[in-house]
C-alpha cells in the first residue's frame, strides 16, 4: 500500500482537469481505463513534441481558446494545461 501523498490544490477547476485528461487520453490513443491525473506528465504518457502540439490544438478547439506558442511549449503536465486554460478563459470573459 502506498502512503498518502501530499495533495496540492491548484487554480484549475476539477472539470477543466477532467476535460484535459480526456483529451490527452484521446489524442495519445491511451488504452481504455488509463489513469491520467493533474500530475500526469505528457512525456511519461508517451507523448512526443508533435503529440503535445496535437493535444494543445485539441484543447484550443474544445475550449474555444488560442494558446500562444511559447505557452504551449511550456506545458508538460495535465495540471499546467488546465491552469493555462482556466487563465485564458478568465481573460477571454473579462
Amino acid at each position: 500500500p502506498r502512503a498518502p501523498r501530499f495533495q496540492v490544490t491548484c487554480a484549475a477547476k476539477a472539470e477543466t482537469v477532467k476535460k484535459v485528461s480526456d483529451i490527452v487520453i484521446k489524442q495519445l490513443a491511451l488504452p481504455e481505463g488509463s489513469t491520467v491525473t493533474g500530475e500526469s506528465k505528457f512525456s511519461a504518457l508517451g507523448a512526443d513534441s508533435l503529440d503535445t502540439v496535437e493535444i494543445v490544438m485539441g484543447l484550443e478547439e474544445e475550449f474555444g481558446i488560442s494558446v500562444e506558442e511559447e505557452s504551449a511549449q511550456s506545458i508538460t503536465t495535465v495540471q499546467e494545461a488546465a491552469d493555462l486554460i482556466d487563465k485564458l478563459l478568465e481573460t477571454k470573459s473579462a
Side-chain angles (χ1 to χ4, degrees), residues 5 7 21 23 30 38 40 44 46 49 66-67 79 86 88-89:
R5 289 192 338 200
Q7 200 62 32
S21 297
I23 290 169
L30 297 174
S40 297
S49 56
S66 180
V67 178
Q79 187 63 59
D86 276 357
L88 288 169
L89 290 173

Side-chain angles (χ1 to χ4, degrees), residues 33-88:
S34 294
T35 304
V36 175
T37 65
E39 292 83 35
S40 297
K41 289 190 180 295
F42 295 156
S43 57
L45 296 170
D48 58 22
S49 56
L50 181 61
D51 292 322
T52 304
V53 169
E54 288 177 355
I55 289 168
V56 171
M57 287 169 50
L59 297 173
E60 287 177 330
E61 197 176 301
E62 172 71 28
F63 291 96
I65 55 169
S66 180
V67 178
E68 291 178 24
E69 198 171 326
E70 301 90 60
S71 301
Q73 289 172 345
S74 69
I75 299 170
T76 59
T77 67
V78 169
Q79 187 63 59
E80 288 170 2
D83 290 344
L84 178 65
I85 288 164
D86 276 357
K87 194 172 87 182
L88 288 169

